Amino acid sequence: MPDATRLSVNINQESAAALKEITERRGISNTEAIRRAIAIYKLIEEETANGNKIQIKDGKTVREIVMLA
């Protein structure tokens, strides 16, 4: 990747365990999991900035995702 930026981050044990669970379940690298997480976060930020709501629908139950500052 010629335009890649290398980052070094510190995360707590809970976040590290969640990352490991996701990468193992999906069969993806840490880098790919973090790329996907950033893409989802960006989508949520853009949609809520435009006044839209993000919701999770589980059968008849609907829950709204609220991003706090």
Side-chain angles (χ1 to χ4, degrees):
M1 272 197 257
D3 62 341
T5 300
R6 189 179 234 358
L7 299 175
S8 176
V9 298
N10 296 313
I11 58 176
N12 62 26
Q13 291 296 320
E14 183 180 351
S15 295
L19 180 60
K20 183 177 180 185
E21 179 182 331
I22 291 165
T23 59
E24 289 177 352
R25 184 181 328 129
R26 295 288 181 184
I28 59 176
S29 67
N30 286 344
T31 299
E32 182 59 25
I34 293 167
R35 276 193 205 112
R36 292 180 186 187
I38 292 168
I40 291 168
Y41 189 85
K42 183 176 184 278
L43 171 70
I44 292 169
E45 286 286 318
E46 289 172 349
E47 292 300 323
T48 55
N50 288 327
N52 297 319
K53 294 181 179 182
I54 307 296
Q55 298 178 329
I56 298 171
K57 183 176 180 186
D58 181 16
K60 294 181 181 179
T61 304
V62 177
R63 296 176 287 161
E64 183 177 341
I65 296 174
V66 177
M67 300 297 286
L68 302 175

